[in-house]
Amino acid sequence: MFDISDMPIESLRSEERLMMPGQLLARGVCRHLASHGFSVIEEFTPERGKRLDVMALGPKGQLWVIECKSSRVDFTSDAKWPGYLEWGDRYFWAVDQDFPTELLPDDTGLILADGYDAEILRMGPETRLAGARRNAVIRRFAAHAARRLQALRDPEAGLEG
Amino acid sequence: MFDISDMPIESLRSEERLMMPGQLLARGVCRHLASHGFSVIEEFTPERGKRLDVMALGPKGQLWVIECKSSRVDFTSDAKWPGYLEWGDRYFWAVDQDFPTELLPDDTGLILADGYDAEILRMGPETRLAGARRNAVIRRFAAHAARRLQALRDPEAGLEG
């Protein structure tokens, strides 16, 4: 694993310099999950007021929620995360190698990440969504991904990005 | 409606000059459907050997398949389209204003399109997908859209575009 915060800033590509630490972790998580057949979206809003850092749809239809925390204060200042558990079958934290992981609840999953890749260290317990809810969440995932994709492919379509 | 084929080539943007006539129709169809709350993807491959020009997921979960035909020969040379009916609740052709619409089967939907917008002239009959199949198609739609989106957001992730 490579810690991007140790890199001299000049060696980061320009778009990486513009990414927040949490976004770099999300990118690494997404690359890792994609390599295992998951489809992923970042900054998914399942309902008003909730934004999930990474939502992953697995090859068997499983739904994983991953929150990326770049520092102690990033974690301790987040009071919303228990509300995210209900959106997936499994819940994970993604942190870098310097994160004080003893802060994290034992009964959640843990992913070690940097900007380039990630590794699942601990699977959290599985709480499977009921079928109707799973289908509703997958439909929102589909709509979100397709609208973002169209906004990138056709910027003049007038969709938000 | 504006017929893009009547435009002097110099007035097309560079990326439009690179688009095939059917792709321009698809863009107009997608803009129109998005303005009605649909999420759309182009060139969707629901299974090996089948490629749907536009797949649209409606706000109530409805699935529409739209094939774009830029000319008579584009339609008459397509023997695959009856195999596309089973992927959606409704099936439409999208054509420009010069297309000989009398060629098209009466019991299919019809959309008049150009590169910028579209208009639904005829709704085809509805043949609703069964619930399990609908959910399976929506899951593939979700995976396809998310993977394309990730490939655009993170070209170095190594996903195909």
Side-chain angles (χ1 to χ4, degrees):
Chain A
M1 294 282 294
F2 188 84
D3 183 0
I4 201 164
S5 64
D6 291 341
M7 286 182 74
I9 187 77
E10 307 80 52
S11 66
L12 294 175
R13 289 183 301 130
S14 58
E15 66 271 30
E16 290 174 337
R17 288 181 217 171
L18 296 173
M19 291 175 81
M20 302 290 287
Q23 291 176 314
L24 280 167
L25 295 177
R27 189 179 72 176
V29 167
C30 287
R31 287 187 185 180
H32 179 73
L33 291 175
S35 74
H36 285 79
F38 280 72
S39 311
V40 291
I41 45 180
E42 294 170 57
E43 300 176 8
F44 175 55
T45 305
E47 64 182 7
R48 190 185 295 269
K50 287 188 180 167
R51 201 181 64 176
L52 312 179
D53 289 341
V54 177
M55 184 76 171
L57 172 63
K60 295 173 182 170
Q62 60 271 57
L63 288 164
W64 290 4
V65 174
I66 301 100
E67 285 296 295
C68 301
K69 293 298 175 193
S70 60
S71 67
R72 173 187 292 265
V73 69
D74 191 16
F75 172 72
T76 56
S77 63
D78 179 358
K80 286 186 169 181
W81 72 267
Y84 300 160
L85 298 173
E86 64 182 306
W87 293 98
D89 304 307
R90 292 186 189 274
Y91 182 87
F92 296 85
W93 301 103
V95 300
D96 72 15
Q97 61 185 8
D98 295 326
F99 188 92
T101 54
E102 65 278 6
L103 293 179
L104 304 173
D106 284 338
D107 59 346
T108 50
L110 179 58
I111 296 175
L112 184 64
D114 60 21
Y116 302 98
D117 201 357
E119 183 184 355
I120 297 174
L121 297 186
R122 183 174 73 216
M123 297 286 279
E126 185 177 45
T127 312
R128 285 184 66 78
L129 297 180
R133 181 166 177 86
R134 175 185 313 281
N135 291 330
V137 175
I138 292 174
R139 196 201 293 177
R140 286 185 208 195
F141 179 111
H144 176 104
R147 291 183 79 82
R148 286 251 189 110
L149 178 63
Q150 188 184 9
L152 285 176
R153 284 171 59 103
D154 183 12
E156 294 175 31
L159 299 168
E160 75 287 7
Chain B
M1 295 282 295
F2 189 85
D3 183 0
I4 200 164
S5 63
D6 291 340
M7 288 181 73
I9 188 77
E10 308 79 50
S11 66
L12 295 175
R13 290 183 299 130
S14 59
E15 66 269 30
E16 290 176 338
R17 288 181 217 172
L18 297 171
M19 292 174 80
M20 302 289 287
Q23 291 176 313
L24 281 167
L25 295 178
R27 189 178 73 175
V29 167
C30 286
R31 287 186 184 180
H32 179 73
L33 292 175
S35 75
H36 285 78
F38 279 72
S39 312
V40 291
I41 44 181
E42 294 169 58
E43 298 175 10
F44 175 56
T45 306
E47 67 183 5
R48 190 186 296 270
K50 287 188 180 166
R51 200 181 66 174
L52 311 180
D53 289 339
V54 177
M55 184 77 172
L57 172 63
K60 296 175 180 169
Q62 61 271 56
L63 288 164
W64 290 3
V65 174
I66 301 100
E67 285 296 294
C68 300
K69 293 300 175 193
S70 60
S71 66
R72 173 187 292 265
V73 67
D74 191 15
F75 171 73
T76 56
S77 63
D78 179 358
K80 286 185 168 182
W81 73 267
Y84 301 160
L85 298 174
E86 63 181 309
W87 292 98
D89 304 308
R90 291 186 189 274
Y91 182 88
F92 296 85
W93 301 103
V95 300
D96 71 16
Q97 60 185 10
D98 295 326
F99 189 92
T101 54
E102 66 277 9
L103 293 178
L104 303 173
D106 285 336
D107 59 345
T108 51
L110 179 59
I111 296 174
L112 184 65
D114 61 21
Y116 303 98
D117 200 357
E119 182 183 357
I120 297 174
L121 297 186
R122 183 175 72 216
M123 297 286 279
E126 185 178 46
T127 312
R128 286 185 64 79
L129 296 180
R133 181 165 177 87
R134 176 184 313 282
N135 292 328
V137 175
I138 292 175
R139 195 201 292 176
R140 286 186 208 194
F141 180 110
H144 176 103
R147 291 183 79 83
R148 286 253 189 108
L149 178 63
Q150 189 184 10
L152 285 177
R153 284 171 59 101
D154 183 12
E156 293 174 33
L159 299 167
E160 75 287 8

